[in-house]
């Protein structure tokens, strides 16, 4: 456990597909969600995705968590969807669509909310596992993990974002190779491609990931959220539109936010700021 780390574990249920751990470090409130079906390589099936959506939306609603770290138990982060369940799910387009809506809602919270979101990849991360990781602000990866898209290995197509987010993360040509080859890549290749921020020995992955999260949680919650919104806007807009949006948000934030003024006052008064997230 990291220095000054206080944790309270609270499993959702004895047989739940997820485990929840709350950690407090240097005043930062962090939730660690662990995919907890290691015998099946932590599949992202309908029940797991729906449970994760409920958790994440609850964190946003209550505003009592600043950061979410997602990881896996055993030797996998997640091998993606439950292929056996897909045999049934594919026969019910309405249910399959509902599953993908839940998955995209999970990714939307990770990508656009004020939560600092981190995928802490402890082992094999493929297909839906990669899609989940791609929606996070930061990816950290263990030195004995592997990562890739893998959908085409079983003649499947992505439905939760890898064909869109992977291109934006590592560029079109490399993303095409990752997706079309179906290969799993070594963690150093993920870092070299700009997909992962940190490569760590497995034994140090949690500690080093928490250090990154704690550092990111020092700033104003409202400013962090606005910054994430601007970065997200950049992915879906022309440059000139993005620059105009940045200017609009900057003026609105400066004119209406307590935290913008507090940051300047704290600097002038040579003290630590007291942000309120508004």
């Amino acid at each position: 456990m990291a220095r000054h780390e206080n944790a309270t574990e609270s499993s959702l249920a004895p047989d739940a597909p997820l485990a929840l751990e709350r950690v407090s470090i240097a005043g930062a409130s962090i939730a660690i969600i662990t995919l907890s079906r290691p015998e099946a390589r932590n599949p992202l099936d309908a029940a797991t995705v729906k449970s994760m959506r409920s958790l994440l939306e609850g964190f946003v609603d209550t505003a009592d968590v600043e950061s979410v770290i997602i990881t896996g138990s055993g030797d996998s982060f997640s091998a993606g969807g439950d292929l056996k369940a897909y045999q049934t799910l594919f026969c019910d387009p309405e249910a399959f669509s509902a599953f993908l809506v839940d998955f995209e809602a999970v990714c939307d919270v990770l990508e656009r909310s004020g939560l600092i979101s981190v995928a802490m990849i402890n082992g094999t991360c493929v297909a839906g596992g990669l899609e989940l990781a791609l929606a996070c602000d930061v990816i950290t990866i263990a030195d004995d993990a592997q990562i890739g898209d893998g959908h085409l290995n079983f003649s499947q197509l992505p439905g939760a974002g890898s064909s869109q987010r992977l291109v934006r993360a590592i560029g079109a040509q490399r993303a095409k190779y990752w997706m079309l080859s179906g290969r799993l890549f070594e963690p150093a290749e993920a870092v070299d491609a700009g997909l992962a921020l940190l490569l760590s020995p497995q034994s140090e992955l949690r500690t080093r990931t928490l250090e990154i999260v704690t550092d990111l949680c020092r700033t104003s919650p409202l400013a962090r959220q606005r910054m994430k919104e601007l970065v997200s806007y950049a992915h879906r807009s022309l440059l000139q539109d993005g620059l105009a949006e940045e200017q609009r948000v900057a003026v609105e934030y400066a004119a209406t936010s307590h935290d913008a003024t507090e940051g300047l006052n704290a600097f002038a008064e040579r003290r630590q700021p007291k942000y309120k997230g508004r």
Side-chain angles (χ1 to χ4, degrees), residues 71-72 74-78 120-126 141-142 144-147 202 205:
T71 192
D75 59 5
S76 292
F77 175 78
S78 174
M120 185 169 71
I121 298 177
N122 58 298
T124 303
C125 175
V126 63
I141 189 167
D144 56 354
Q146 288 189 309
I147 187 169
Q202 181 74 251
L205 182 63

Side-chain angles (χ1 to χ4, degrees), residues 163-195:
S163 70
Q164 304 302 304
R165 292 188 177 97
L166 187 60
V167 171
R168 289 165 169 79
I170 64 175
Q173 181 170 245
R174 195 180 308 222
K176 283 181 182 179
Y177 180 65
W178 277 47
M179 290 185 284
L180 293 174
S181 70
R183 281 187 52 198
L184 292 182
F185 295 85
E186 295 301 314
E189 294 177 87
V191 174
D192 289 345
L195 180 63

Side-chain angles (χ1 to χ4, degrees), residues 192-233:
D192 289 345
L195 180 63
L197 176 69
L198 172 72
L199 171 60
S200 169
Q202 181 74 251
S203 61
E204 300 174 14
L205 182 63
R206 176 185 170 108
T207 298
R208 295 183 67 183
T209 299
L210 285 170
E211 287 173 352
I212 290 172
V213 170
T214 304
D215 185 47
L216 293 176
C217 286
R218 292 182 300 104
T219 55
S220 156
L222 179 61
R224 290 198 304 265
Q225 182 170 358
R226 293 294 179 267
M227 187 72 79
K228 286 184 60 172
E229 289 169 354
L230 286 171
V231 172
S232 179
Y233 193 89

